Amino acid sequence: MAIPVPLRLRRLGVTTLSVVALGIAAVSLPAGAHDDDHGAAGPCPPGQQRANERAGDNFALACLPGLDIAKLDDRAAVLAPGEIEKSANIELLANIPKSGPFAGESSFETDLAFQGDYAFQGNYDGLSVYDIRKPHKPQLVTQVLCPGSQNDISVLGDLLVLSVDSSRSNDTCSNVPQSATIKESWEGIRVFDISEPTAPEYVASVETACGSHTHTLAPSKDGRDVYVYVSSYSPNVNFPDCQPPHDQISVVKVPVAAPQDAAVVSEPVLFPAEEGGGNPPGGYSRETSGCHDLTAYPSKDVMAGACMGDGILVDISDRESPVVTEQVRDTENFAFWHSATFNNAGTKVVFTDELGGGGGPTCNPTIGAQKGADGIYDIVGGQLEFRSYFKIPRTQANTENCVAHNGSLIPVAGRDIMVQAWYQGGISVWDFTDSANPKEIAFFDRGPLSTDRLILGGSWSAYWYNGHIYSSDIQQGFDV
């Protein structure tokens, strides 16, 4: 039975679909404390704040006033550095450590994409390509040094797209950081030709307003073009190419036959001020000034967006003129709407909350089970209706950054099952077929990188592809 797969197109390229058999064991989430005062995290131990700021992304949010790490209860954390805890129905088949120009601690491994026999891994300093014809023996085949965080990555056909959300001196791969206050600085998307996967060819760059933090892809209905929906946020009056209010996204059109002609074709405003759009300041949830992540389901002409303080549904039947059709907020438990994943039928969306920006230890009883978690919404009559939260039930140490992060659907007929990364909380496989009662059915968790300091690490993204789970570990490389 062929099952349509509504993954972000950065994860497309599925050539065989199979029903995955997993042992089911319901795991109760801890009740935990419900503390409304920890929407901002910090203060950090000496040196961590500076390290988080240098890391970019939202990691510095872990060091804002309001959360004293010393007061977090991590007594239930059981793993030491180098130790592994896992369920009986999951096995680590292979690990390829970081190497070459990506070996350093600040050279973070990021997102993953797949096509045919290859996996593509983003890194703050470029991208890596792996041959995965033998998943238990993957091979690193090439690395492309091309700095520009976070190099969020997507693949469709022979095209690979990277997002650059750090201001650079130019659009080539020979660049250095340069202040966004300088008009000539560049950030946006890079387009590569991967018709020969072992030798990606850089063919185009497109500058976009406020850069490109993440993106999602949708082919045109005639297949002649690929549309790149670019998410970016946090404008600044001092940045000439990133002016407030920036309640918009960028739509880039890439002709399949001539990718060098890629260009911005529209900049639709999703939260027009005159209609009261965007989450207001002063609350627990982050004020909206753009989107962090979009996920397209092209065959259904719909897209879901996680936009800082808002979750949205978007009609993309006109690829160049997306229109918001639904908008929801969670000002009690969601600090930062981070990502969105459809179920297979397109009747549900899992939104993630990146409490603390991904740089803080939020998986513990002090934070509780409803913050830094997933929010499960059913789509009923075109409206998003909240059903429940899901969060991993294991306590992580105070030196482990842990929060809900990137995952994908596992295509099982009649079921809604997702695999998901939780940074140093490891990876979790969980079932949300019953939207109101999600349950974990498998997990894999490494111990902290250090008992003395919080080193940003863990699984950035964990995705199912052709019968296996692949994880991009920030510090420890590529896992199967």
Coordinates of all heavy atoms in Angstrom, one line a residue, residues 279-354:
N279 N 1.4 38.0 17.7 CA 1.2 37.9 19.1 C 1.7 39.1 19.8 O 2.8 39.6 19.6 CB 1.9 36.6 19.6 CG 1.4 36.2 21.0 OD1 0.3 36.2 21.3 ND2 2.4 35.8 21.8
P280 N 0.9 39.7 20.7 CA 1.3 41.0 21.3 C 2.4 40.8 22.3 O 2.6 39.7 22.8 CB 0.0 41.4 22.0 CG -0.8 40.2 22.3 CD -0.5 39.3 21.1
P281 N 3.2 41.8 22.6 CA 4.3 41.7 23.5 C 3.8 41.7 25.0 O 2.6 42.0 25.3 CB 5.1 43.0 23.3 CG 4.1 44.0 22.8 CD 3.1 43.2 22.0
G282 N 4.7 41.3 25.9 CA 4.4 41.4 27.3 C 3.9 40.1 27.9 O 3.7 40.0 29.1
G283 N 3.6 39.0 27.1 CA 3.1 37.8 27.7 C 4.1 36.7 27.8 O 5.3 36.9 27.5
Y284 N 3.7 35.5 28.1 CA 4.6 34.4 28.2 C 5.1 34.0 26.9 O 6.3 33.7 26.7 CB 3.9 33.2 28.9 CG 4.7 31.9 28.9 CD1 5.7 31.7 29.8 CD2 4.4 30.9 28.0 CE1 6.4 30.6 29.9 CE2 5.2 29.7 28.0 CZ 6.2 29.6 28.9 OH 6.9 28.4 29.0
S285 N 4.3 34.0 25.8 CA 4.6 33.5 24.5 C 5.3 34.7 23.8 O 5.0 35.8 23.9 CB 3.4 33.1 23.7 OG 3.7 32.5 22.5
R286 N 6.3 34.3 22.9 CA 7.1 35.3 22.2 C 6.3 36.1 21.2 O 5.4 35.6 20.5 CB 8.2 34.5 21.4 CG 9.2 35.3 20.6 CD 10.3 35.9 21.5 NE 11.3 36.5 20.6 CZ 12.3 36.0 20.1 NH1 12.5 34.7 20.2 NH2 13.2 36.7 19.4
E287 N 6.6 37.4 21.1 CA 5.9 38.2 20.2 C 6.3 37.8 18.8 O 7.4 37.5 18.5 CB 6.3 39.7 20.4 CG 5.7 40.7 19.5 CD 6.2 42.1 19.7 OE1 7.0 42.3 20.6 OE2 5.7 43.0 19.0
T288 N 5.3 37.8 17.9 CA 5.5 37.4 16.5 C 6.0 38.5 15.6 O 5.4 39.6 15.5 CB 4.1 36.9 15.9 OG1 3.7 35.8 16.7 CG2 4.3 36.4 14.5
S289 N 7.1 38.2 15.0 CA 7.7 39.1 14.0 C 8.3 38.3 12.8 O 9.5 38.4 12.5 CB 8.8 40.0 14.6 OG 9.8 39.3 15.2
G290 N 7.5 37.4 12.3 CA 8.0 36.5 11.3 C 7.7 35.0 11.7 O 7.1 34.8 12.7
C291 N 8.1 34.1 10.9 CA 7.9 32.7 11.2 C 9.3 32.0 11.3 O 10.3 32.3 10.7 CB 7.2 32.0 10.0 SG 5.4 32.5 9.9
H292 N 9.3 31.0 12.2 CA 10.5 30.2 12.4 C 10.5 29.0 11.5 O 11.6 28.6 11.0 CB 10.5 29.6 13.9 CG 11.7 28.8 14.1 ND1 11.8 27.5 13.8 CD2 12.9 29.1 14.7 CE1 13.0 27.0 14.1 NE2 13.7 27.9 14.6
D293 N 9.4 28.4 11.2 CA 9.4 27.2 10.4 C 8.0 27.0 9.7 O 7.0 27.3 10.2 CB 9.6 26.0 11.3 CG 9.9 24.7 10.5 OD1 11.0 24.6 9.8 OD2 9.0 23.8 10.4
L294 N 8.1 26.5 8.4 CA 6.9 26.2 7.6 C 7.0 24.8 7.1 O 8.2 24.3 6.8 CB 6.8 27.2 6.4 CG 6.7 28.7 6.8 CD1 7.0 29.5 5.5 CD2 5.3 29.0 7.3
T295 N 5.9 24.1 7.0 CA 5.9 22.8 6.4 C 4.8 22.7 5.4 O 3.6 22.8 5.7 CB 5.6 21.7 7.5 OG1 6.7 21.8 8.5 CG2 5.6 20.3 7.0
A296 N 5.2 22.4 4.2 CA 4.3 22.3 3.1 C 3.8 20.9 2.9 O 4.6 19.9 3.0 CB 4.9 22.8 1.8
Y297 N 2.5 20.7 2.5 CA 1.9 19.4 2.1 C 1.3 19.7 0.7 O 0.2 20.0 0.5 CB 0.8 19.0 3.1 CG 0.4 17.5 3.0 CD1 -0.1 16.9 4.1 CD2 0.6 16.8 1.9 CE1 -0.4 15.6 4.1 CE2 0.3 15.4 1.8 CZ -0.3 14.8 2.9 OH -0.6 13.5 2.9
P298 N 2.2 19.7 -0.3 CA 1.8 20.3 -1.6 C 0.6 19.6 -2.3 O -0.2 20.3 -2.9 CB 3.1 20.1 -2.5 CG 4.2 20.0 -1.5 CD 3.6 19.3 -0.3
S299 N 0.5 18.3 -2.1 CA -0.6 17.6 -2.8 C -2.0 18.0 -2.2 O -3.0 17.9 -2.9 CB -0.5 16.1 -2.7 OG -0.5 15.7 -1.3
K300 N -2.0 18.6 -1.0 CA -3.2 19.1 -0.4 C -3.3 20.6 -0.5 O -4.2 21.2 0.1 CB -3.3 18.6 1.0 CG -3.5 17.1 1.1 CD -3.7 16.7 2.6 CE -4.0 15.2 2.6 NZ -5.2 14.8 2.0
D301 N -2.3 21.3 -1.1 CA -2.2 22.7 -1.2 C -2.3 23.4 0.1 O -3.0 24.5 0.3 CB -3.4 23.2 -2.1 CG -3.1 22.9 -3.6 OD1 -2.0 22.7 -4.0 OD2 -4.1 22.8 -4.3
V302 N -1.7 22.9 1.1 CA -1.7 23.5 2.5 C -0.3 23.5 3.1 O 0.5 22.7 2.7 CB -2.7 22.6 3.4 CG1 -2.2 21.3 3.6 CG2 -3.0 23.4 4.7
M303 N -0.2 24.4 4.0 CA 1.1 24.6 4.7 C 0.8 24.9 6.1 O -0.2 25.6 6.4 CB 2.0 25.7 4.0 CG 3.3 25.9 4.6 SD 4.4 26.9 3.4 CE 3.5 28.4 3.4
A304 N 1.6 24.4 7.1 CA 1.5 24.8 8.5 C 2.7 25.6 8.8 O 3.8 25.3 8.4 CB 1.4 23.5 9.3
G305 N 2.5 26.6 9.7 CA 3.6 27.4 10.1 C 3.7 27.6 11.6 O 2.6 27.7 12.3
A306 N 4.9 27.6 12.1 CA 5.2 27.9 13.5 C 5.9 29.2 13.5 O 7.0 29.4 13.1 CB 6.1 26.8 14.1
C307 N 5.1 30.2 14.0 CA 5.6 31.6 13.8 C 5.7 32.3 15.2 O 4.9 33.2 15.5 CB 4.5 32.3 13.0 SG 4.3 31.6 11.3
M308 N 6.7 31.9 15.9 CA 7.1 32.5 17.2 C 6.0 32.5 18.2 O 6.1 31.7 19.2 CB 7.6 34.0 16.9 CG 8.7 34.0 15.9 SD 9.2 35.7 15.5 CE 10.0 36.2 17.0
G309 N 5.0 33.3 18.1 CA 3.9 33.3 19.0 C 2.6 32.8 18.5 O 1.6 32.8 19.2
D310 N 2.6 32.3 17.2 CA 1.4 31.8 16.6 C 1.6 30.5 15.8 O 2.7 30.3 15.2 CB 0.9 32.9 15.6 CG 0.6 34.2 16.2 OD1 1.5 35.1 16.4 OD2 -0.6 34.4 16.6
G311 N 0.6 29.7 15.8 CA 0.5 28.6 14.9 C -0.5 28.9 13.8 O -1.6 29.4 14.1
I312 N -0.2 28.5 12.5 CA -1.0 28.9 11.4 C -1.2 27.8 10.4 O -0.4 26.9 10.4 CB -0.5 30.2 10.7 CG1 0.9 29.9 10.1 CG2 -0.5 31.4 11.6 CD1 1.4 31.1 9.2
L313 N -2.3 27.8 9.7 CA -2.5 27.1 8.5 C -2.5 28.0 7.3 O -3.1 29.2 7.4 CB -3.8 26.3 8.5 CG -3.9 25.1 9.5 CD1 -5.3 24.5 9.5 CD2 -2.9 24.1 9.2
V314 N -2.0 27.6 6.2 CA -1.8 28.5 5.0 C -2.3 27.8 3.8 O -1.9 26.6 3.5 CB -0.4 28.9 4.8 CG1 -0.2 29.9 3.7 CG2 0.2 29.5 6.1
D315 N -3.1 28.4 2.9 CA -3.5 27.9 1.6 C -2.4 28.3 0.6 O -2.1 29.4 0.4 CB -4.9 28.6 1.3 CG -5.4 28.0 -0.1 OD1 -4.6 27.5 -0.9 OD2 -6.6 28.2 -0.3
I316 N -1.9 27.2 0.0 CA -0.8 27.5 -1.0 C -1.3 27.0 -2.4 O -0.5 26.6 -3.3 CB 0.5 26.9 -0.7 CG1 0.4 25.3 -0.4 CG2 1.1 27.6 0.5 CD1 1.8 24.6 -0.3
S317 N -2.6 27.0 -2.6 CA -3.1 26.6 -4.0 C -2.6 27.5 -5.0 O -2.3 27.1 -6.2 CB -4.6 26.6 -4.0 OG -5.2 27.8 -3.5
D318 N -2.4 28.8 -4.7 CA -1.7 29.7 -5.6 C -0.3 29.8 -4.9 O -0.1 30.5 -3.9 CB -2.3 31.1 -5.6 CG -1.6 32.1 -6.5 OD1 -0.4 31.9 -6.8 OD2 -2.2 33.1 -6.8
R319 N 0.7 29.1 -5.6 CA 2.0 29.0 -4.9 C 2.7 30.3 -4.6 O 3.4 30.4 -3.6 CB 2.9 28.1 -5.8 CG 2.5 26.7 -6.0 CD 2.7 25.9 -4.8 NE 2.6 24.4 -5.1 CZ 1.6 23.7 -4.8 NH1 0.5 24.2 -4.2 NH2 1.6 22.4 -5.1
E320 N 2.4 31.3 -5.4 CA 3.1 32.6 -5.2 C 2.3 33.5 -4.3 O 2.8 34.6 -4.0 CB 3.4 33.3 -6.6 CG 4.3 32.5 -7.5 CD 4.7 33.2 -8.7 OE1 4.4 34.4 -8.9 OE2 5.3 32.5 -9.6
S321 N 1.1 33.2 -3.9 CA 0.3 34.0 -3.1 C -0.3 33.2 -1.9 O -1.6 33.0 -1.9 CB -0.8 34.7 -3.9 OG -0.2 35.5 -5.0
P322 N 0.5 32.8 -1.0 CA -0.1 32.0 0.1 C -1.0 32.9 1.0 O -0.7 34.1 1.2 CB 1.2 31.5 0.9 CG 2.3 32.5 0.5 CD 1.9 32.9 -0.9
V323 N -2.0 32.3 1.6 CA -3.0 33.0 2.4 C -3.2 32.3 3.7 O -3.5 31.0 3.7 CB -4.3 33.1 1.6 CG1 -5.4 33.8 2.5 CG2 -4.1 33.9 0.3
V324 N -3.1 32.9 4.8 CA -3.3 32.4 6.1 C -4.8 32.1 6.3 O -5.7 33.0 6.1 CB -2.8 33.3 7.2 CG1 -3.2 32.7 8.6 CG2 -1.3 33.4 7.2
T325 N -5.2 30.9 6.6 CA -6.6 30.5 6.8 C -7.0 30.3 8.2 O -8.2 30.2 8.6 CB -7.0 29.3 5.9 OG1 -6.2 28.2 6.4 CG2 -6.7 29.6 4.5
E326 N -6.0 30.1 9.1 CA -6.3 29.7 10.5 C -5.1 30.2 11.3 O -3.9 30.0 10.9 CB -6.6 28.2 10.7 CG -6.6 27.7 12.1 CD -7.8 28.2 12.9 OE1 -8.4 29.3 12.6 OE2 -8.2 27.6 13.9
Q327 N -5.4 30.7 12.5 CA -4.3 31.1 13.4 C -4.7 30.8 14.9 O -5.8 31.1 15.3 CB -4.1 32.7 13.2 CG -3.1 33.3 14.1 CD -3.1 34.8 13.9 OE1 -3.8 35.4 13.0 NE2 -2.3 35.5 14.6
V328 N -3.7 30.2 15.6 CA -4.0 29.9 17.0 C -2.8 30.3 17.9 O -1.7 30.5 17.4 CB -4.3 28.4 17.2 CG1 -5.6 28.0 16.6 CG2 -3.1 27.5 16.7
R329 N -3.1 30.5 19.2 CA -2.0 30.8 20.1 C -2.2 30.0 21.4 O -3.3 29.5 21.7 CB -2.1 32.3 20.5 CG -1.9 33.3 19.4 CD -2.1 34.7 19.8 NE -2.0 35.6 18.7 CZ -2.4 36.9 18.6 NH1 -3.0 37.4 19.7 NH2 -2.2 37.6 17.5
D330 N -1.1 29.9 22.1 CA -1.1 29.2 23.4 C -0.2 30.1 24.3 O 1.0 29.9 24.3 CB -0.5 27.8 23.3 CG -0.5 27.1 24.6 OD1 -0.6 27.7 25.7 OD2 -0.2 25.8 24.6
T331 N -0.8 31.1 24.9 CA 0.0 32.0 25.7 C 0.3 31.5 27.1 O 1.0 32.2 27.9 CB -0.8 33.4 25.8 OG1 -2.1 33.1 26.3 CG2 -0.9 34.0 24.4
E332 N -0.2 30.3 27.5 CA 0.1 29.8 28.8 C 1.3 28.9 28.8 O 2.1 28.9 29.7 CB -1.2 29.0 29.3 CG -1.0 28.4 30.7 CD -2.2 27.7 31.2 OE1 -3.2 27.6 30.4 OE2 -2.1 27.1 32.3
N333 N 1.4 28.0 27.8 CA 2.4 27.0 27.8 C 3.4 27.0 26.7 O 4.5 26.5 26.9 CB 1.8 25.6 27.9 CG 1.1 25.3 29.2 OD1 1.7 25.5 30.2 ND2 -0.1 24.8 29.1
F334 N 3.1 27.7 25.6 CA 4.1 27.8 24.5 C 4.9 29.1 24.6 O 4.3 30.2 24.5 CB 3.3 27.7 23.1 CG 3.4 26.3 22.5 CD1 3.1 25.2 23.3 CD2 3.6 26.1 21.2 CE1 3.2 23.9 22.8 CE2 3.7 24.8 20.6 CZ 3.4 23.7 21.4
A335 N 6.2 29.0 24.7 CA 7.0 30.2 24.7 C 7.4 30.6 23.3 O 7.5 31.8 23.0 CB 8.3 29.9 25.5
F336 N 7.7 29.6 22.4 CA 8.2 29.9 21.1 C 7.7 28.8 20.1 O 8.2 27.7 20.2 CB 9.7 30.0 21.1 CG 10.3 30.5 19.8 CD1 10.5 31.9 19.6 CD2 10.6 29.6 18.8 CE1 11.1 32.3 18.4 CE2 11.2 30.1 17.6 CZ 11.4 31.5 17.4
W337 N 6.8 29.1 19.2 CA 6.3 28.1 18.3 C 7.4 27.9 17.3 O 7.8 28.8 16.5 CB 5.0 28.7 17.6 CG 3.8 28.8 18.5 CD1 3.7 29.7 19.5 CD2 2.6 28.1 18.4 NE1 2.5 29.5 20.1 CE2 1.8 28.5 19.5 CE3 2.2 27.0 17.6 CZ2 0.5 28.0 19.7 CZ3 0.9 26.5 17.8 CH2 0.1 27.0 18.9
H338 N 7.9 26.7 17.3 CA 9.2 26.4 16.6 C 9.0 25.6 15.3 O 9.6 25.9 14.3 CB 10.1 25.5 17.5 CG 11.3 25.0 16.9 ND1 11.4 23.8 16.2 CD2 12.5 25.5 16.8 CE1 12.6 23.6 15.8 NE2 13.3 24.6 16.1
S339 N 8.2 24.5 15.2 CA 8.1 23.7 14.0 C 6.7 23.1 14.0 O 5.9 23.1 14.9 CB 9.1 22.7 13.9 OG 9.1 21.8 15.1
A340 N 6.4 22.6 12.8 CA 5.0 22.0 12.5 C 5.2 20.8 11.7 O 5.9 20.8 10.7 CB 4.1 23.0 11.9
T341 N 4.4 19.7 12.0 CA 4.5 18.5 11.3 C 3.0 17.9 11.1 O 2.3 17.8 12.1 CB 5.3 17.4 12.0 OG1 6.6 17.9 12.3 CG2 5.4 16.1 11.2
F342 N 2.6 17.7 9.9 CA 1.3 17.1 9.6 C 1.3 15.6 9.9 O 2.4 14.9 9.7 CB 1.0 17.3 8.1 CG 0.6 18.7 7.7 CD1 1.5 19.5 7.0 CD2 -0.7 19.2 8.0 CE1 1.1 20.8 6.6 CE2 -1.1 20.4 7.6 CZ -0.2 21.2 6.9
N343 N 0.2 15.1 10.2 CA 0.0 13.6 10.1 C -0.2 13.2 8.6 O -0.3 14.1 7.8 CB -1.1 13.1 11.0 CG -2.5 13.5 10.5 OD1 -2.7 14.5 9.8 ND2 -3.5 12.7 10.8
N344 N -0.2 11.9 8.4 CA -0.3 11.5 7.0 C -1.5 11.9 6.3 O -1.5 12.3 5.1 CB -0.2 9.9 7.0 CG 0.1 9.4 5.6 OD1 1.2 9.6 5.1 ND2 -0.9 8.7 5.0
A345 N -2.7 11.9 7.0 CA -3.9 12.3 6.3 C -4.1 13.8 6.2 O -5.1 14.3 5.5 CB -5.1 11.7 7.1
G346 N -3.2 14.6 6.8 CA -3.4 16.0 6.7 C -4.5 16.5 7.6 O -5.0 17.6 7.4
T347 N -4.9 15.7 8.6 CA -6.0 16.1 9.5 C -5.5 16.5 10.9 O -6.3 16.9 11.8 CB -6.9 14.9 9.7 OG1 -6.2 13.8 10.2 CG2 -7.6 14.5 8.4
K348 N -4.2 16.5 11.1 CA -3.6 16.9 12.4 C -2.3 17.7 12.2 O -1.6 17.5 11.1 CB -3.3 15.7 13.3 CG -4.5 14.8 13.6 CD -4.0 13.6 14.4 CE -5.2 12.6 14.6 NZ -4.8 11.4 15.4
V349 N -1.9 18.5 13.1 CA -0.6 19.2 13.1 C 0.0 19.0 14.5 O -0.7 19.3 15.5 CB -0.7 20.6 12.7 CG1 0.7 21.2 12.7 CG2 -1.4 20.8 11.4
V350 N 1.3 18.6 14.5 CA 2.1 18.7 15.8 C 2.9 19.9 15.7 O 3.8 20.0 14.9 CB 2.9 17.4 15.9 CG1 3.8 17.5 17.2 CG2 2.0 16.1 16.0
F351 N 2.7 20.8 16.6 CA 3.6 22.0 16.8 C 4.5 21.8 18.0 O 4.2 21.1 18.9 CB 2.7 23.3 17.1 CG 1.9 23.7 16.0 CD1 0.5 23.5 15.9 CD2 2.4 24.5 14.9 CE1 -0.3 23.9 14.9 CE2 1.6 24.9 13.9 CZ 0.3 24.6 13.8
T352 N 5.7 22.3 17.8 CA 6.7 22.2 18.9 C 6.9 23.5 19.6 O 6.9 24.6 18.9 CB 8.1 21.6 18.5 OG1 8.7 22.5 17.6 CG2 7.9 20.3 17.7
D353 N 7.3 23.5 20.9 CA 7.6 24.7 21.6 C 9.1 24.6 22.0 O 9.5 23.8 22.7 CB 6.7 24.8 22.9 CG 7.2 25.9 23.8 OD1 7.8 26.9 23.3 OD2 7.0 25.8 25.0
E354 N 9.9 25.6 21.4 CA 11.3 25.6 21.7 C 11.6 26.5 22.9 O 12.2 27.6 22.8 CB 12.1 26.0 20.5 CG 13.6 25.6 20.7 CD 14.4 26.0 19.5 OE1 14.3 27.2 19.0 OE2 15.2 25.2 19.0

